[in-house]
């Protein structure tokens, strides 16, 4: 397995609550997030979604699909959601949302290892492609979230 660490930030002209409401419902991500092929809820968890589990399939311009299960371990509405992934990728992801003066920063930290043999074998030469792929899908997410909220994406990176 090989570790990848990504930090993505989207700045949106929207309230934190509005962004939270969209992000905390992963089953609907394919409706607005290009690159999310499908999401299935495997376990609803409790009232705050702690313990909920989702199977998520992702695809970008590179011709392969990544599938993994994501289990929500911590929820603090409307500012934080974190959990663990297991499948083609294994690791942790954390959403953090901050609001100031009508602008919300959505920050996603993703620390994962690849589990597919071919990805691990190609890592020395393909790592930049894998990183580009991640960045592209996350940019699509920021653009899609802005469209879903009917607002502007001020920055994505």
């Amino acid at each position: 397995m090989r570790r990848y660490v990504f930090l993505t930030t989207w700045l949106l002209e929207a309230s934190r609550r509005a962004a939270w409401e969209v992000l905390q419902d992963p089953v609907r991500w394919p409706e607005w997030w290009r690159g999310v092929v499908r999401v299935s809820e495997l376990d609803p968890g409790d009232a705050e979604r702690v313990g909920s589990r989702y199977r998520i399939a992702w695809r970008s311009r590179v011709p392969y699909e990544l599938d993994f299960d994501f289990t929500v371990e911590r929820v603090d509405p409307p500012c934080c959601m974190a959990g663990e992934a297991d499948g083609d990728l294994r690791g942790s992801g954390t959403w953090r949302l901050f609001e100031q003066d009508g602008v919300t920063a959505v920050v996603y930290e993703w620390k994962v290892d690849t589990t597919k043999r071919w990805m691990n074998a190609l890592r020395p030469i393909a790592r930049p492609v894998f990183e580009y792929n991640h960045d592209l899908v996350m940019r699509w997410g920021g653009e899609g979230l802005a469209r879903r909220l009917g607002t502007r994406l001020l920055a994505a990176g």
Side-chain angles (χ1 to χ4, degrees), residues 17-28:
R17 175 62 66 187
W20 174 266
E21 289 302 318
V22 174
L23 287 171
Q24 63 83 39
D25 188 6
V27 171
R28 299 192 70 184

Side-chain angles (χ1 to χ4, degrees), residues 8-24:
T8 301
T9 303
W10 304 328
L11 295 179
L12 300 149
E13 284 185 334
S15 71
R16 178 170 66 170
R17 175 62 66 187
W20 174 266
E21 289 302 318
V22 174
L23 287 171
Q24 63 83 39

Side-chain angles (χ1 to χ4, degrees), residues 9 11 17 25 27 29 35 40 43 66 79 90 93 99 106-107 114 119 134 137 146 149-151:
T9 303
L11 295 179
R17 175 62 66 187
D25 188 6
V27 171
W29 288 0
S40 302
D43 186 333
L66 290 174
C79 65
R90 184 174 297 132
E99 182 180 3
V106 177
V107 179
T114 56
M119 290 181 82
H134 169 83
V137 168
L149 295 171
T151 191

